[in-house]
Amino acid sequence: MALDPRLTPARPDLAAVHLKGKVEAAKFVGGTEQEVIVGQAPLRQAPSHDAPLLTEALRGERVMVYDTDEEGWAWGQLLADSYVGYLPASALLTPDAEPTHRVAALRTLVFPQASIKAPPVDALPLGARVAVLRMQDTLAVTPGGFVPGPHLAPLDAKEADFVAIAERFLGVPYLWGGKTSLGLDCSGLVQVALTACGIECPRDSDMQEKALGKSVSLAGLQHGDLIFWKGHVAIARGRNSMIHANAFHMAVAIEPVAEALARIGAAGSQVTSVRRLG
């Protein structure tokens, strides 16, 4: 079976040692686990700031790094969803304290001292993970600074309705490869929303269509069903409306299902499946 290049840490010159005998490469190496230490880090197709954005790694995510070049790019694989690409090496460090909490707000700020009047040093998106060392009044003390406690939730506290999480992103700009309130794409919206509910989710829509839920009829559409087209996914809010990040609106938008089906169908794309979780 052919290996998915999006999920396979292999280049002609270098590959992960566990792929020896499965792929051809000049050299095989073991990886070094590192942690994302900034709010969000781009995972790019090539070691260049101009290269296409594949996805984003959020604060606290772990990355298995196989190579770091002289230009400051680390090549590795995200441990959460197995995506492979290039990240700025400056966004990574050897893991220190284990994360204890996740960001439950759409976005929060990190302050350098115990004062909300201090200029923030970073911003953390929904789903980012931090290690809370202690509380100081309403601020959580973390290795990276002070974070508003009300914006955090324990790692084991799961959201109940991923559709409601997706709706919080309404109006956020469409960004290919994005996963935060600064911009996201259709599958990024699904992944972030499901992850907040403790549901493991692949990164791209074709992966999600294969891995998530069971196939159901479009005629019986329910709240939380995922509607798939080739290269696209939307979330049903019920029988008649859906929410999705899309390039037509260039934003996360809610629209009638019938209207969206007609528009997308007119562009030559038909629904490939409807998947129901649970």
Side-chain angles (χ1 to χ4, degrees):
M1 183 174 66
L3 298 174
D4 189 332
R6 296 170 294 181
L7 309 178
T8 307
R11 309 183 314 208
D13 65 319
L14 188 69
V17 69
H18 70 267
L19 294 173
K20 199 167 187 177
K22 299 179 181 179
V23 301
E24 292 186 5
K27 182 180 180 182
F28 292 87
V29 298
T32 301
E33 186 172 326
Q34 298 198 338
E35 181 178 358
V36 178
I37 58 168
V38 296
Q40 63 201 78
L43 186 82
R44 298 194 180 277
Q45 191 175 70
S48 168
H49 293 290
D50 295 331
L53 180 67
L54 299 176
T55 186
E56 291 178 307
L58 309 184
R59 168 75 177 269
E61 278 198 61
R62 299 297 171 87
V63 185
M64 190 63 70
V65 175
Y66 295 102
D67 184 38
T68 302
D69 67 20
E70 296 179 354
E71 300 299 321
W73 289 96
W75 178 68
Q77 183 171 37
L78 305 184
L79 297 189
D81 62 17
S82 299
Y83 226 107
V84 174
Y86 294 84
L87 304 96
S90 59
L92 305 171
L93 273 183
T94 301
D96 187 10
E98 285 291 327
T100 60
H101 290 68
R102 62 177 176 82
V103 174
L106 206 58
R107 184 167 289 273
T108 192
L109 299 173
V110 182
F111 299 96
Q113 58 196 57
S115 171
I116 60 172
K117 295 182 180 180
V121 294
D122 202 356
L124 306 181
L126 177 76
R129 299 184 171 204
V130 297
V132 175
L133 307 177
R134 66 182 187 279
M135 293 297 298
Q136 187 165 330
D137 296 324
T138 61
L139 294 174
V141 183
T142 77
F146 296 79
V147 181
H151 291 174
L152 301 176
L155 283 184
D156 58 0
K158 310 302 182 186
E159 301 289 347
D161 183 3
F162 82 93
V163 181
I165 298 298
E167 289 172 344
R168 292 170 61 185
F169 287 88
L170 184 64
V172 167
Y174 179 85
L175 174 65
W176 182 275
K179 283 179 56 175
T180 78
S181 61
L182 295 180
L184 38 59
D185 59 18
C186 65
S187 55
L189 178 64
V190 170
Q191 187 185 53
V192 168
L194 286 177
T195 300
C197 297
I199 302 172
E200 291 188 7
C201 179
R203 179 57 179 90
D204 293 345
S205 61
D206 64 316
M207 301 174 183
Q208 294 170 357
E209 186 172 16
K210 293 177 182 177
L212 298 175
K214 62 180 181 180
S215 180
V216 296
S217 169
L218 181 62
L221 201 61
Q222 295 181 9
H223 180 90
D225 287 348
L226 299 175
I227 311 168
F228 290 94
W229 296 259
K230 184 178 181 180
H232 190 58
V233 60
I235 304 168
R237 301 172 66 243
R239 185 181 183 87
N240 298 315
S241 71
M242 59 185 239
I243 182 168
H244 57 152
N246 66 93
F248 178 79
H249 296 94
M250 283 306 295
V252 177
I254 292 173
E255 60 180 321
V257 171
E259 183 178 302
L261 291 177
R263 186 185 72 251
I264 298 173
S269 186
Q270 302 299 320
V271 171
T272 54
S273 71
V274 177
R275 310 290 297 181
R276 181 168 299 160
L277 284 70

